[in-house]
Amino acid sequence: MLNIYRYETDREALKKQLERSVTFEPEVERTVHDILAAVRSGGDKALLDYTERFQGVRLQEMTVSGEEIRRAYEQADSRFIGVLEEAYRNITAFHRHEIEKSFFYEAEGGVILGQRVTPMERAMLYVPGGKAAYPSSLLMNAAPAQVAGVGQIFLTTPCDSEGNVSSHILAAAAVAGIGSVYKLGGAQAVAAFAFGTESIPKVDSITGPGNKYVALAKKQVFGHVAIDSIAGPSEVVIIADESADPDFIVLDMFAQAEHDPDASAVLITPSESLADAVRQRAANRIETMLRKEVIAASLSSNGAVVITGSMEEACRVSDSLAPEHLELHVENPWDLLGSIHHAGAIFMGAYSCETVGDYFAGPNHTLPTNGTARFFSPLSVRDFIKHTSIISYSRRQLLSCGEKIASFADHEGLQAHAEAVRERLRKA
């Protein structure tokens, strides 16, 4: 189930085992293209047709009523509501530290320059539903949008064949104060909010994870709306030394693998004894897991135990993968932090397991996958704001440097640019 690779000698085999792709199958691309085109031209009818085809219900009403949301909150287990509320406070508190302020300053010659920070007017948050419901994703998407000050926040999640939305998601919506909840899923939902229909508002930003059809739909509507990222299968890398607890490592790898057969879980360690212990205990514990088939498929296809020559080499291997989640099961994790350059989120020490970040700690769990942590960042308040440059030039300053500006335009062959400045100089 878990193969051991020696980095010094097995690099090519390891590369093949852990290879991730950000491309999509041609048939998926064709399907998504057709759905986007149909909803863009056909509006509500096309949206309802696809909902009936893929979700199994002909919706009479696309939104969840306020009464349904209130009832889900009141009927939910009070302890679960308490956990949701505390988690949401933690997430919101973290994102408040990301708030950006507009700035202005006076430059030479009475010039005022600056940058204005304003929130998006409308955002759609996509929350997976269907086979599995993720209220945690709702909280993680809602908090930064609300902290940013987005004017209108719409949430959509797939309903079941009876037209019902998960009560856990509705309870989380109540906790987050989200009142506009739609029963739509898939590429058709992304299309509806990206282009707008008779009943669905066109938004400025779409965020949230989904299956490959949702991910590709977001990719294709980018430019009509802003998006957070193109989410792929989830992944974790664990760097560990001889002090690590093999049972902690096994369960953290299982926790990642149980998401999906395409998920990836990798241990990197210079300790051969730890590598052997993890491999053996994984084999012993797999039968106790409810999702053992999914876990086994994930670890066999996309998992690995990598033995390196040193901890420094372990860090380099991790950086080459640029994982979504990186756990440091080492004696002094803060000493290692400076050697790590690429990861979506880093979990410091044996008691900072990924599960803590997924649900409760506060930093966002919507993270870059497929090695894109080299250049993408976690979902944040920054995904729900925009920056506008402010330029206030004075007559005096234009007289001082206008000819320099005009000559710059001359060198680019743009006559009107240059004359726009010189006309002002002539009339000043």
Side-chain angles (χ1 to χ4, degrees):
M1 180 176 63
L2 262 177
N3 291 325
I4 293 180
Y5 299 83
R6 295 184 181 277
Y7 187 66
E8 184 178 1
T9 58
D10 301 329
R11 294 187 192 187
E12 287 306 313
L14 178 64
K15 181 180 178 181
K16 184 176 180 180
Q17 172 73 359
L18 299 181
E19 190 172 31
R20 312 287 274 173
S21 174
V22 294
T23 61
F24 297 88
E25 302 94 324
E27 62 189 61
V28 175
E29 295 208 10
R30 285 192 295 271
T31 298
V32 170
H33 177 272
D34 291 346
I35 291 172
L36 296 180
V39 173
R40 189 175 190 180
S41 62
D44 281 355
K45 183 181 184 306
L47 176 60
L48 292 171
D49 287 346
Y50 280 118
T51 300
E52 183 174 19
R53 175 179 170 185
F54 295 123
Q55 295 174 225
V57 60
R58 187 75 183 184
L59 293 176
Q60 301 302 310
E61 177 58 59
M62 288 188 272
T63 59
V64 178
S65 69
E67 172 61 25
E68 288 178 88
I69 297 173
R70 183 189 63 79
R71 188 165 60 247
Y73 177 84
E74 292 178 349
Q75 294 179 354
D77 183 289
S78 60
R79 291 169 297 182
F80 178 54
I81 292 296
V83 171
L84 287 176
E85 290 175 339
E86 188 173 356
Y88 200 56
R89 287 195 297 271
N90 293 344
I91 299 163
T92 301
F94 176 85
H95 284 295
R96 285 199 183 108
H97 288 279
E98 297 175 336
I99 294 175
E100 296 184 32
K101 295 181 179 180
S102 300
F103 66 85
F104 298 90
Y105 65 94
E106 187 171 351
E108 182 181 354
V111 171
I112 297 175
L113 304 173
Q115 187 176 85
R116 188 178 66 172
V117 178
T118 53
M120 303 284 189
E121 290 186 5
R122 293 175 171 175
M124 184 273 266
L125 316 180
Y126 190 95
V127 177
K131 294 179 181 179
Y134 297 104
S136 59
S137 288
L138 188 156
L139 301 183
M140 292 287 178
N141 278 263
Q146 291 177 328
V147 170
V150 174
Q152 294 179 284
I153 299 175
F154 307 96
L155 184 149
T156 194
T157 188
C159 64
D160 62 20
S161 59
E162 301 296 319
N164 298 317
V165 168
S166 161
S167 60
H168 288 168
I169 287 178
L170 294 182
V175 167
I178 304 295
S180 297
V181 181
Y182 288 76
K183 305 178 179 182
L184 308 168
Q188 62 270 20
V190 174
F193 282 94
F195 304 127
T197 72
E198 299 91 329
S199 302
I200 304 295
K202 173 177 168 41
V203 298
D204 305 308
S205 176
I206 294 177
T207 68
N211 62 21
K212 59 187 176 182
Y213 294 94
V214 171
L216 182 54
K218 288 170 62 180
K219 181 179 180 181
Q220 292 193 8
V221 300
F222 175 67
H224 297 280
V225 294
I227 64 170
D228 50 348
S229 63
I230 314 294
S234 196
E235 57 209 25
V236 67
V237 165
I238 300 171
I239 295 178
D241 61 20
E242 64 280 353
S243 70
D245 186 318
D247 289 311
F248 288 1
I249 293 173
V250 167
L251 288 173
D252 288 358
M253 295 179 79
F254 282 4
Q256 192 61 243
E258 72 177 346
H259 277 296
D260 190 284
D262 291 330
S264 176
V266 179
L267 167 63
I268 307 173
T269 180
S271 171
E272 294 198 25
S273 61
L274 180 66
D276 290 334
V278 166
R279 185 184 189 190
Q280 185 58 51
R281 295 191 195 193
N284 293 341
R285 297 194 72 151
I286 185 68
E287 290 301 319
T288 68
M289 308 307 297
L290 294 177
R291 294 174 63 82
K292 60 185 179 182
E293 290 85 4
V294 175
I295 294 170
S298 168
L299 295 181
S300 296
S301 299
N302 306 293
V305 175
V306 184
I307 298 176
T308 60
S310 66
M311 193 57 69
E312 291 75 17
E313 187 173 65
C315 293
R316 291 196 297 272
V317 175
S318 176
D319 270 350
S320 72
L321 298 174
E324 179 187 16
H325 309 93
L326 172 61
E327 294 186 359
L328 303 181
H329 289 235
V330 298
E331 197 166 2
N332 297 301
W334 292 97
D335 292 345
L336 209 60
L337 186 58
S339 299
I340 301 296
H341 304 96
H342 308 299
I346 302 176
F347 298 80
M348 309 292 288
Y351 290 93
S352 303
C353 59
E354 183 197 323
T355 307
V356 172
D358 280 348
Y359 296 108
F360 202 74
N364 211 283
H365 79 191
T366 304
L367 302 166
T369 59
N370 285 336
T372 60
R374 295 188 67 87
F375 43 82
F376 283 145
S377 303
L379 185 70
S380 73
V381 169
R382 292 178 288 274
D383 290 290
F384 297 98
I385 61 172
K386 52 194 175 67
H387 304 85
T388 303
S389 298
I390 307 296
I391 301 168
S392 176
Y393 237 60
S394 66
R395 176 179 175 274
R396 174 161 53 103
Q397 189 65 10
L398 190 64
L399 285 173
S400 173
C401 60
E403 187 53 43
K404 297 175 186 176
I405 298 169
S407 67
F408 203 152
D410 288 338
H411 279 82
E412 292 194 347
L414 297 174
Q415 180 191 17
H417 279 66
E419 285 303 305
V421 173
R422 291 190 173 112
E423 183 70 13
R424 287 167 168 80
L425 297 179
R426 286 190 289 268
K427 294 184 175 180

